[in-house]
Amino acid sequence: MATVEGKTTARFEPVRAALAAHIESGDELGASIAVDVDGVMEVDLWGGHADEARTVPWSEDTLVTLWSTTKTLSSLAALVLVDRGALDLDRPVAEYWPEFGAQGKQDVEVRHVLAHTSGLSGWQQPFTMDDLCDWPTASARLAGQAPWWKPGTAAGYHMQTQGQLVGELVRRVSGRTLTEFVDTEIAKRLDADVQIGAREADWPRIAGLVAPQISGVPADFDPEAIFARTLLGSPARDEHVDTPQWRNAELGALNGHSNARGMARALSVISRRGEADGFRLLSADTVDKIFDVQADGVDLVLGVPVRWGIGYALADPRTMPGMPTGTICFWVGRGGSVVMMDLDRRITFAYTMNRLGDGILGSERTHSYIRHVYEALDATN
């Protein structure tokens, strides 16, 4: 059986065994898992390799690109500003970003951006990776774009645009970039190894992602459908990851770098209703706003049912197999990384890996680890 490093309390030993089995089988290349229970890191595990050639072990401080799990950090940044009164969820985005009011977007509210209901799920083509990595260009293009559906009436996953929209709001009201804000107000305050982009000094500890082969375009692909327009208007692809351009960019929907421990430490502030280790980042009232349902139905982009709250998806058995019901919010990244905040049990679960799996919302491995965590909890409660 593969060796898994780190610690776990006795009740979560099945989680260690599951990680070891997935590494042994080759399903996992390298990965980390963390479970914070009301401020106690009961699971802090890692194993496997940081490179496809299996020459570099995944170590205690290995980082990896999070893909869309990055959005959990960007949403937390926005909520901090909501809590401080700098952002109002019910005010128009254009009050903070005047240029955004063009093309019929004058009534798009901050909550629409955080709940994927603004109608801006992708950039109008042509739009390139170079455009995406140039902050002024990417923001100006969204500001001048008309929504693809009536804002607030439906959710369509803002695959790569949400980081730009939230990041621009953060810049406008705080005077700091999203990268700076996450570093100073989240990472440092919560002692969490998380960042948007990646400092060059940290590049040696970043695990390289290994992507699955992508199947061809389906015969019924409709380039005018919301899903197709979003996909084609979201230029970041697997080949861009782990490049200097990617790591130097500020992509608040995509290029966060962390590991399970870092994500669990950062997001446990939500599971613990705003306070972590004696430091209050959010009020309990602001945390409660996350669970104000903004959309509930088949997402126009993802094609599966999602209950969207403010900044996060909410627990729903239709969305994530094996996830219990309750006061739980979460989000996932391409390939299966995830962070879940369970407020009823005051538990935060995080998983990061470098071999990307299949699945729209989490891979089979993701669902397996969630199942093992909750089976362990049920057995001891």
Side-chain angles (χ1 to χ4, degrees):
M1 186 67 70
T3 300
V4 171
E5 305 289 342
K7 65 179 182 180
T8 178
T9 53
R11 62 174 171 170
F12 288 114
E13 278 296 336
V15 178
R16 182 195 294 271
L19 177 57
H22 281 301
I23 294 172
E24 182 75 21
S25 70
D27 292 337
E28 292 282 18
L29 177 57
S32 63
I33 295 176
V35 180
D36 177 288
V37 183
D38 200 12
V40 177
M41 198 70 74
E42 289 204 27
V43 178
D44 184 7
L45 299 173
W46 61 91
H49 291 86
D51 63 328
E52 190 171 14
R54 292 183 167 84
T55 62
V56 180
W58 187 295
S59 68
E60 182 176 6
D61 67 348
T62 294
L63 303 174
V64 70
T65 288
L66 300 170
W67 272 110
S68 285
T69 308
T70 305
K71 294 180 176 72
T72 64
L73 296 171
S74 298
S75 293
L76 181 55
L79 287 172
V80 170
L81 290 167
V82 169
D83 194 73
R84 295 175 182 176
L87 272 179
D88 186 329
L89 293 170
D90 298 319
R91 304 305 300 170
V93 172
E95 287 195 9
Y96 308 102
W97 178 5
E99 303 92 322
F100 184 84
Q103 297 290 328
K105 300 194 302 304
Q106 64 277 0
D107 296 325
V108 174
E109 298 172 8
V110 173
R111 64 188 175 92
H112 296 147
V113 167
L114 286 166
H116 302 266
T117 64
S118 79
L120 295 172
S121 57
W123 278 272
Q124 197 71 42
Q125 294 186 78
F127 188 78
T128 67
M129 186 63 183
D130 287 343
D131 294 330
L132 178 63
C133 293
D134 183 78
W135 190 274
T137 296
S139 289
R141 289 286 300 275
L142 286 176
Q145 185 172 312
W148 290 347
W149 65 89
K150 184 178 178 181
T153 61
Y157 183 47
H158 291 20
M159 189 180 297
Q160 297 182 15
T161 56
Q162 196 195 37
Q164 195 73 35
L165 294 166
V166 172
E168 189 65 39
L169 283 168
V170 169
R171 285 179 179 234
R172 297 279 172 150
V173 303
S174 75
R176 286 176 280 176
T177 67
L178 180 62
T179 297
E180 292 167 342
F181 194 89
V182 167
D183 182 53
T184 58
E185 302 296 333
I186 297 174
K188 289 178 179 174
R189 289 182 181 271
L190 300 176
D191 190 26
D193 192 2
V194 299
Q195 54 189 298
I196 305 295
R199 293 180 288 270
E200 190 166 353
D202 290 324
W203 290 8
R205 61 189 183 108
I206 298 175
L209 288 187
V210 178
Q213 286 193 332
I214 299 176
S215 56
V217 177
D220 61 349
F221 187 77
D222 178 4
E224 294 305 314
I226 295 296
F227 163 74
R229 295 173 73 184
T230 301
L231 183 63
L232 296 173
S234 302
R237 299 288 182 265
D238 291 327
E239 62 265 25
H240 298 124
V241 178
D242 299 326
T243 64
Q245 182 186 45
W246 177 271
R247 293 173 178 175
N248 286 324
E250 183 177 55
L251 308 177
L254 305 169
N255 78 334
H257 288 77
S258 187
N259 49 39
R261 183 191 318 106
M263 293 301 286
R265 285 193 66 84
L267 276 302
S268 68
V269 74
I270 290 177
S271 310
R272 299 166 71 189
R273 294 192 176 273
E275 185 176 346
D277 300 331
F279 173 74
R280 179 160 292 282
L281 187 67
L282 301 172
S283 68
D285 287 345
T286 297
V287 173
D288 286 342
K289 293 179 189 298
I290 294 170
F291 297 90
D292 183 5
V293 177
Q294 301 296 302
D296 187 357
V298 175
D299 186 276
L300 297 176
V301 173
L302 297 172
V304 297
V306 182
R307 291 175 68 232
W308 285 111
I310 298 293
Y312 302 87
L314 308 181
D316 189 328
R318 302 171 302 170
T319 305
M320 282 282 277
M323 182 180 290
T325 57
T327 314
I328 300 172
C329 60
F330 73 98
W331 196 238
V332 299
R334 169 161 166 69
S337 63
V338 65
V339 62
M340 283 175 48
M341 291 73 78
D342 184 332
L343 281 67
D344 295 333
R345 302 166 183 86
R346 295 176 72 87
I347 287 168
T348 309
F349 164 72
Y351 159 60
T352 66
M353 75 294 131
N354 59 347
R355 184 184 297 284
L356 305 186
D358 295 322
I360 297 173
L361 294 177
S363 68
E364 184 279 329
R365 285 170 275 150
T366 313
H367 306 150
S368 167
Y369 298 136
I370 292 172
R371 184 174 65 252
H372 280 94
V373 166
Y374 278 91
E375 285 176 353
L377 289 168
D378 290 342
T380 54
N381 290 335

